[in-house]
Amino acid sequence: WLKFAGFYCSCSLSVCMVTPTSSDKPAVKTDFPRVRLHIYDIHWSATALNAVAKSLGFGVYHVGVEVSGEEWSFYHRTIPGSGVMANIPRRHPYHCFRETVELGTSRWSGDKVAEIISDLQRQWPGQTYEMVDRNCISFCDELSKRLGVSSSPDWVKRLPQAMSQFMATHACSAGVRLSHPPACLPSLAHADCEEDLGEWISVRVPGVA
């Protein structure tokens, strides 16, 4: 069950049943929430590879930041709209959960956290997604920075950083831009796909009715 545009949605790949929620606004908490980075193997086929790669200081990962009970990340889309979406923490139907890293305690709480996420939703349209330089890892680092906590571990972002350096050296002159995720992964390419993925994504703006 995931929030999708202000609704709770349970769906298969072809049928979506939608039930309105009582409010689009997240629950306001007066304490300063803990912030966690949930790390996933990008695909089940990468689990064995990542088990070895991590020991060498790299890997192929998807990440999401949990704050105030929701996990936020950034996804590719080919239609207008934010790429910043939420899912239930540590429960992703396509990526395989690996581990959680504690990032610290947010310097903000309640409405301020919702304001930060709403701001990022405007600044990170799904059409601007790039696999190397503007992806889920770079988004989570930006969100962590605004919350005043640590960024993702070096071993999580080492591979995309190396790819970025390679692209800058060898691909820019050819106009190569890796904007799409691998074919084995979901992409929010069109309205039908968004409905299919409604079980786990949220495109709502927190704190806005």
Side-chain angles (χ1 to χ4, degrees):
W1 289 89
L2 274 247
K3 293 174 193 162
F4 178 78
F7 296 88
Y8 275 105
C9 183
S10 173
C11 60
S12 65
L13 291 180
S14 60
V15 179
C16 185
M17 297 179 295
V18 179
T19 304
T21 60
S22 58
S23 173
D24 288 338
K25 296 184 179 181
V28 176
K29 299 181 180 180
T30 57
D31 59 329
F32 297 92
R34 297 290 297 175
V35 182
R36 301 175 176 88
L37 183 75
H38 298 308
I39 303 169
Y40 301 79
D41 296 323
I42 197 78
H43 189 256
W44 65 265
S45 60
T47 298
L49 170 65
N50 279 346
V52 176
K54 184 186 174 185
S55 67
L56 301 175
F58 71 102
V60 184
Y61 305 104
H62 169 78
V63 296
V65 168
E66 178 187 351
V67 60
S68 299
E70 292 183 305
E71 179 182 322
W72 295 91
S73 194
F74 179 59
Y75 300 92
H76 170 256
R77 302 177 76 184
T78 59
I79 60 175
S82 179
V84 178
M85 306 178 193
N87 62 267
I88 299 172
R90 295 178 295 178
R91 294 177 61 183
H92 200 293
Y94 294 101
H95 305 301
C96 302
F97 177 74
R98 172 168 286 274
E99 63 184 275
T100 295
V101 174
E102 295 285 343
L103 300 181
T105 301
S106 172
R107 71 174 61 166
W108 311 108
S109 64
D111 288 338
K112 181 61 177 179
V113 171
E115 179 183 329
I116 289 172
I117 294 172
S118 295
D119 188 40
L120 289 172
Q121 285 185 309
R122 290 187 291 270
Q123 295 178 7
W124 291 71
Q127 292 176 312
T128 66
Y129 180 98
E130 294 184 22
M131 284 183 61
V132 174
D133 294 315
R134 191 174 174 84
N135 51 37
C136 61
I137 298 174
S138 53
F139 166 77
C140 287
D141 279 353
E142 178 63 22
L143 175 55
S144 298
K145 178 181 176 181
R146 297 200 187 192
L147 294 174
V149 298
S150 301
S151 62
S152 56
D154 290 340
W155 55 269
V156 168
K157 51 194 172 189
R158 184 162 285 122
L159 182 59
Q161 286 176 341
M163 290 176 63
S164 178
Q165 293 175 358
F166 177 85
M167 294 290 291
T169 304
H170 300 283
C172 285
S173 60
V176 177
R177 179 175 177 266
L178 299 179
S179 60
H180 296 272
C184 63
L185 301 179
S187 171
L188 305 185
H190 49 74
D192 291 341
C193 186
E194 286 191 10
E195 179 176 298
D196 292 344
L197 297 178
E199 180 180 355
W200 61 279
I201 65 171
S202 166
V203 293
R204 69 181 178 81
V205 177
V208 177

